[in-house]
């Protein structure tokens, strides 16, 4: 993930273009922390979230979901509940901000990526967005 502040706008870029910016166990908490950090920074007036490459965010990183043996052994209900909590706390971090949030969609926003875009106040979509 990349973040830079330009003209009081925090430009947060999901930077996993090889995975279509899928949310992983590392990216999701890092994004949540960055949203909160920028939200509390008085030099930031707004947040803009985008994705590197041709996608905004393809959703959850399905390949990584089964990589943790302990999590994979948990009952499906527990795994689904865990994913819901992760998504709710991520979108909740955006919804709870007192600053404008913008999603700039260069391409696909699917699953959790669509929820992320919808949690922003404004969405700007390129012609290639889906």
């Amino acid at each position: 993930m990349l973040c830079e502040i330009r003209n009081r706008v925090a430009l947060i870029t999901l930077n996993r273009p090889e995975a279509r910016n899928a949310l992983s166990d590392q990216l999701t908490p890092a994004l949540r922390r960055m949203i909160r950090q920028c939200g509390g920074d008085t030099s930031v007036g707004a947040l803009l979230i985008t994705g590197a490459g041709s996608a905004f965010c393809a959703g959850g990183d399905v390949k990584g979901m089964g990589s943790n043996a302990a999590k994979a052994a948990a009952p499906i209900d527990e795994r689904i509940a865990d994913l819901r909590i992760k998504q709710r706390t991520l979108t909740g971090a955006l919804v709870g901000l007192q600053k404008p949030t913008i999603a700039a969609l260069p391409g696909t926003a699917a699953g959790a990526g669509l929820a992320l875009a919808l949690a922003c106040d404004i969405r700007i979509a390129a012609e290639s967005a889906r």
Side-chain angles (χ1 to χ4, degrees), residues 27-106:
L27 182 58
T28 301
L31 179 56
R32 190 181 310 112
R33 281 190 305 273
M34 187 58 62
I35 291 167
R36 289 188 177 134
Q37 180 181 334
C38 291
D41 186 339
T42 57
S43 70
V44 173
L47 281 75
L48 186 145
I49 301 174
T50 192
S54 61
F56 175 71
C57 177
D61 185 359
V62 178
K63 289 180 183 176
M65 287 180 184
S67 63
N68 183 323
K71 284 185 182 180
I76 189 71
D77 292 347
E78 287 180 25
R79 290 185 285 172
I80 291 171
D82 183 54
L83 287 172
R84 284 184 176 154
I85 290 168
K86 287 178 183 176
Q87 184 62 38
R88 196 174 312 123
T89 57
L90 178 58
T91 55
L94 280 169
V95 171
L97 284 183
Q98 298 297 310
K99 298 178 182 187
T101 56
I102 303 161
L105 293 89

